[in-house]
Amino acid sequence: MQTFEAGRYDVVVVGAGHAGCEAALASARVGMETLLITLNVNMVAFMPCNPSIGGPAKGVVVREIDALGGEMGKNIDKTYIQMRMLNTGKGPAVRALRAQADKEAYAREMRRTIENTPHLTLRQAVVDDLVVEDGICKGVITQTGAIYRSRATILTVGTAARGQIIIGELKYSAGPNNSQSADQLTKNLADKYGFEVKRFKTGTPPRVDKKTIDFSKTTIQPGNKEPHHFSSLSKDEDYLPVEDQIPCYLTYTSAETHQLIRDNLHRAPMFTGIVEGVGARYCPSIEDKIVRFADKPKHQLFLEPEGRDNEEIYLQGLSTSLPEDVQMEMVQTIPGLEKARIIRDAYAIEYDMVVPSQLKPTFETKLIENLYTAGQTNGTSGYEEAAGQGLYAGINAVLKIRGEEPMILGRDQAYIGVLVDDLVTKGTTEPYRLLTSRAEYRLLLRHDNAELRLTELGRKIGLVKDEQYQHFLAYKESVQKEVERLETTRLRPSKDLQAFLKEKGSALLQDGILAADLLRRPELSIEDIWQFSQPDGDYDRRIKEEVAIQIKYAGYIEKAEKQVMRLRKMERKLIPDTIDYDKVEGLATEAKDRLKKIQPRTLAQASRVSGVNPADISILAIYLTSHFQNKNN
């Protein structure tokens, strides 16, 4: 094939899914000439699986993306059809916002944003290979021979990478939603450049015609009346009234459903050997649920609308790769779906992923300089995880081009930091899903405080523009001012206050008490305190929430911050690139092998490597001190 020079850019991003969009926007918004190449420009930011954004842990990631200057939060706030805050009866560490998306509007709006962003060019093409010279990636080569040269390249190929769709006995090459697959790029990564590439599998449920559902047999799940947003720039007055939101509905599988699946397990690809890729443990297919949880009489199913202007309903919880005839029969065993007609069949999809332990903590590959990977290419699942990685890779590619220090988020700074550290330090043997339980400092990584944690960093990079930054400064000042006021204002045991406390079932006061100490009583809210100690300003819902959390959970937050300080001492103990682990006497053989593979940057990261125990860390710490006398130790 004859090649030709097609253009030069600072950054080339391959793939315009959720990771690619964030990476390209981050690069272009700080002035880098950026090329975003995708298989199909009509599938920019497409949602091939569930039509939603957010949820436990994932919703916090979207808030973090927004705080750093990314786009996902802004885009879903413009295109949602339902918004719900989850886990409101639990503590702030596990509360999460989830939005039902109009998937067509979401993709359309993201494409509009990309096409109207200066320094960003959108191009439809299939990338087959890289331009690599002396171990440095200097661009990409398309299927037609076009060479696009770059100073940094970011691969966000997703499930299109040698994608194969599976429905029953049928298996064929395709990307998500029967789109084109990219068959050569990851093959070259493995065969030509020596990357370890594995096959993963994900799946999606049937979509059924809304008109054929009997919703009277289901339970309605409406959105929230009170306003919620992912982006700090979104305004409460623009929040959709609940009557204008489109509800979801809850139903369940039946005994008949389970029996039908058991009767057809011999035709299920994941049990017959047709499926070769590793599937997600936390998002199993319905046939896997029936086998693994044989004692369960039923499983929850959510009927989720895919948009405001179409009739497709997504059957969340019914992911499967069973044959089409079984799917048709199975759907009609579900209460409310007895007469339902399938619009799109469920399917499984296998694809290539790059083992993420081959990445540096910046997402630059260890094998090829100036080459980055992000999204499902790194073995994750979920739009939010992908978007967070794309933004992270885009930022680090820009920082390297500018000759600046990389952005490496700590596990105490962001869920994105937890995600990155898990991937590069531990790798993953199955599609990785971010969970609140993965974050040991989740009380510090809350939905409500994402902008307090990360906006200054986004501003320093150049992604947080003036409007967002001024909004942040005003918000931060208001929160600090009200916290300080409540911490210094003393309330007297007046007749009205004592009567109120008695009514609330709260202990009466023997003497004066600080307003903050009274607020720390679990039975009292900040609105209760404000009845007896009015704030100086008219604070909005978000300020009120943040002040209450900071005061009520101050003791727990302080304890977590002390743990973080101990961790940071280990994070400051840098491990030189020149270290030879074979010369570290007393280090276990398994620890040596794992440390050589992962190449951790710090002693703290080394402590999180699988197969490295505390004794190994103690030996390594002594060795570093005696042999390198690192000034950072």
Side-chain angles (χ1 to χ4, degrees):
M1 177 183 63
Q2 184 174 348
T3 59
F4 61 96
E5 297 291 333
R8 288 181 176 272
Y9 296 85
D10 293 310
V11 178
V12 168
V13 180
V14 181
H18 303 280
C21 289
E22 294 291 350
L25 286 167
S27 170
R29 283 170 170 169
V30 296
M32 294 287 169
E33 291 301 323
T34 307
L35 175 65
L36 176 58
I37 302 178
T38 183
L39 292 167
N40 187 341
V41 293
N42 292 324
M43 293 185 68
V44 170
F46 182 68
M47 294 180 167
C49 202
N50 57 315
S52 68
I53 295 292
K58 295 166 176 279
V60 183
V61 170
V62 182
R63 293 276 292 125
E64 292 173 352
I65 290 168
D66 183 69
L68 287 168
E71 191 63 24
M72 178 174 267
K74 299 177 182 66
N75 205 64
I76 186 60
D77 281 354
K78 289 186 280 188
T79 58
Y80 73 93
I81 55 177
Q82 188 199 93
M83 192 79 75
R84 292 188 75 188
M85 181 65 77
L86 308 179
N87 300 328
T88 53
K90 298 181 180 179
V94 294
R95 290 175 199 160
L97 190 58
R98 183 180 188 273
Q100 203 67 30
D102 184 321
K103 63 190 300 180
E104 293 177 2
Y106 184 94
R108 186 168 58 249
E109 185 63 31
M110 186 67 82
R111 179 176 174 179
R112 182 182 295 116
T113 298
I114 286 169
E115 291 181 329
N116 287 281
T117 297
H119 309 291
L120 179 52
T121 301
L122 180 64
R123 182 75 165 85
Q124 181 169 297
V126 180
V127 172
D128 277 356
D129 204 355
L130 307 174
V131 178
V132 179
E133 299 173 5
D134 299 321
I136 302 172
C137 184
K138 296 189 176 181
V140 300
I141 307 173
T142 72
Q143 198 175 58
T144 57
I147 298 175
Y148 293 99
R149 298 194 179 271
S150 64
R151 300 166 71 187
T153 299
I154 305 172
L155 303 182
T156 65
V157 191
T159 58
R162 288 205 301 147
Q164 288 190 303
I165 283 181
I166 304 165
I167 304 172
E169 294 82 11
L170 177 65
K171 187 173 186 177
Y172 58 94
S173 292
N177 200 42
N178 284 315
S179 61
Q180 183 177 355
S181 62
D183 295 332
Q184 195 60 41
L185 181 57
T186 47
K187 187 176 187 301
N188 279 333
L189 289 179
D191 298 344
K192 190 174 179 180
Y193 302 111
F195 283 93
E196 185 181 358
V197 173
K198 290 186 176 180
R199 297 287 281 176
F200 274 3
K201 183 222 79 163
T202 188
T204 189
R207 275 72 158 177
V208 301
D209 189 337
K210 180 180 180 180
K211 298 187 298 293
T212 64
I213 298 174
D214 182 355
F215 289 104
S216 67
K217 297 182 179 180
T218 67
T219 304
I220 192 169
Q221 304 282 304
N224 288 148
K225 293 181 180 179
E226 64 276 13
H228 294 290
H229 315 286
F230 281 105
S231 175
S232 62
L233 291 178
S234 297
K235 297 177 173 59
D236 281 1
E237 55 264 32
D238 296 328
Y239 185 75
L240 286 177
V242 70
E243 58 268 21
D244 291 339
Q245 297 182 39
I246 301 179
C248 297
Y249 296 85
L250 173 65
T251 186
Y252 295 87
T253 57
S254 65
E256 188 181 356
T257 312
H258 294 203
Q259 189 58 53
L260 178 67
I261 292 171
R262 282 192 289 266
D263 291 344
N264 284 279
L265 287 177
H266 65 287
R267 300 180 65 196
M270 65 176 299
F271 294 111
T272 62
I274 294 176
V275 170
E276 298 172 1
V278 180
R281 180 187 319 181
Y282 300 103
C283 189
S285 66
I286 188 63
E287 54 266 37
D288 194 21
K289 291 179 189 176
I290 299 307
V291 172
R292 285 167 55 186
F293 309 107
D295 58 320
K296 296 281 187 182
K298 60 183 180 180
H299 293 281
Q300 276 189 342
L301 301 175
F302 288 95
L303 311 185
E304 301 182 356
E306 295 226 322
R308 193 172 291 279
D309 298 318
N310 69 51
E311 296 298 309
E312 287 186 74
I313 297 293
Y314 180 93
L315 303 186
Q316 171 78 323
L318 203 68
S319 175
T320 184
S321 56
L322 284 164
E324 182 178 359
D325 60 302
V326 180
Q327 291 187 36
M328 293 171 66
E329 191 175 351
M330 176 177 66
V331 164
Q332 295 187 346
T333 65
I334 295 165
L337 305 182
E338 292 88 351
K339 297 181 180 179
R341 290 195 302 267
I342 293 177
I343 294 177
R344 304 188 199 214
D345 289 331
Y347 62 86
I349 184 168
E350 288 184 342
Y351 57 96
D352 285 346
M353 54 79 67
V354 176
V355 175
S357 56
Q358 300 169 101
L359 305 176
K360 299 176 183 178
T362 59
F363 276 171
E364 184 181 24
T365 68
K366 296 173 183 175
L367 288 178
I368 299 177
E369 189 177 350
N370 294 348
L371 176 66
Y372 298 76
T373 61
Q376 284 184 278
T377 300
N378 288 349
T380 59
S381 66
Y383 310 140
E384 304 84 359
E385 289 94 334
Q389 290 176 76
L391 179 63
Y392 188 87
I395 287 172
N396 277 310
V398 165
L399 293 175
K400 183 166 187 187
I401 290 172
R402 296 198 310 210
E404 299 176 17
E405 286 295 309
M407 179 187 79
I408 299 176
L409 297 174
R411 299 180 70 90
D412 61 300
Q413 286 180 280
Y415 266 100
I416 296 174
V418 173
L419 166 66
V420 172
D421 186 64
D422 279 352
L423 290 174
V424 303
T425 303
K426 302 175 184 177
T428 184
T429 57
E430 62 187 38
Y432 177 99
R433 180 179 179 182
L434 200 53
L435 307 167
T436 53
S437 59
R438 295 191 192 274
E440 57 270 48
Y441 305 114
R442 55 187 170 273
L443 184 55
L444 303 180
L445 309 180
R446 306 185 306 274
H447 167 93
D448 62 273
N449 72 349
E451 59 192 296
L452 295 174
R453 289 185 276 121
L454 297 172
T455 303
E456 290 287 2
L457 182 54
R459 179 68 171 181
K460 180 181 177 183
I461 293 164
L463 286 175
V464 172
K465 305 304 180 184
D466 289 347
E467 181 186 3
Q468 184 175 354
Y469 190 60
Q470 293 305 317
H471 185 277
F472 159 73
L473 291 178
Y475 171 73
K476 180 181 177 182
E477 182 182 7
S478 295
V479 170
Q480 290 176 338
K481 182 179 178 182
E482 181 58 11
V483 168
E484 290 171 3
R485 188 187 74 84
L486 292 174
E487 292 281 10
T488 56
T489 299
R490 183 167 290 276
L491 300 177
R492 296 185 177 185
S494 65
K495 182 179 179 181
D496 288 345
L497 178 55
Q498 296 286 58
F500 179 79
L501 293 176
K502 183 177 181 181
E503 180 185 341
K504 285 283 187 176
S506 190
L508 300 183
L509 300 181
Q510 301 302 315
D511 201 351
I513 188 172
L514 290 174
D517 288 338
L518 195 61
L519 177 56
R520 290 188 179 101
R521 294 185 180 186
E523 66 274 12
L524 300 181
S525 68
I526 191 168
E527 290 88 351
D528 294 334
I529 306 305
W530 280 355
Q531 289 186 47
F532 301 94
S533 177
Q534 285 290 331
D536 298 332
D538 183 18
Y539 293 136
D540 66 17
R541 170 189 52 80
R542 292 177 60 249
I543 294 171
K544 186 192 306 182
E545 177 187 31
E546 182 62 28
V547 169
I549 289 173
Q550 286 193 19
I551 290 177
K552 279 184 172 292
Y553 293 88
Y556 300 102
I557 292 170
E558 183 181 357
K559 183 178 179 181
E561 287 173 342
K562 287 180 179 178
Q563 293 175 332
V564 168
M565 292 304 295
R566 290 194 290 269
L567 173 72
R568 285 179 180 163
K569 290 181 180 179
M570 292 183 69
E571 292 287 6
R572 287 196 293 269
K573 292 182 180 291
L574 300 179
I575 300 176
D577 294 337
T578 56
I579 190 171
D580 183 349
Y581 288 107
D582 289 326
K583 293 183 179 179
V584 183
E585 295 183 7
L587 205 59
T589 301
E590 183 184 3
K592 289 180 181 179
D593 291 342
R594 294 295 298 165
L595 290 169
K596 283 189 282 188
K597 181 177 181 180
I598 302 299
Q599 300 172 34
R601 292 179 66 256
T602 67
L603 196 62
Q605 187 186 359
S607 72
R608 297 189 291 270
V609 174
S610 300
V612 178
N613 60 45
D616 296 318
I617 294 300
S618 297
I619 292 168
L620 182 58
I622 294 170
Y623 181 85
L624 291 173
T625 301
S626 61
H627 287 74
F628 291 96
Q629 296 182 348
N630 194 321
K631 293 180 182 180
N632 293 296
N633 285 354

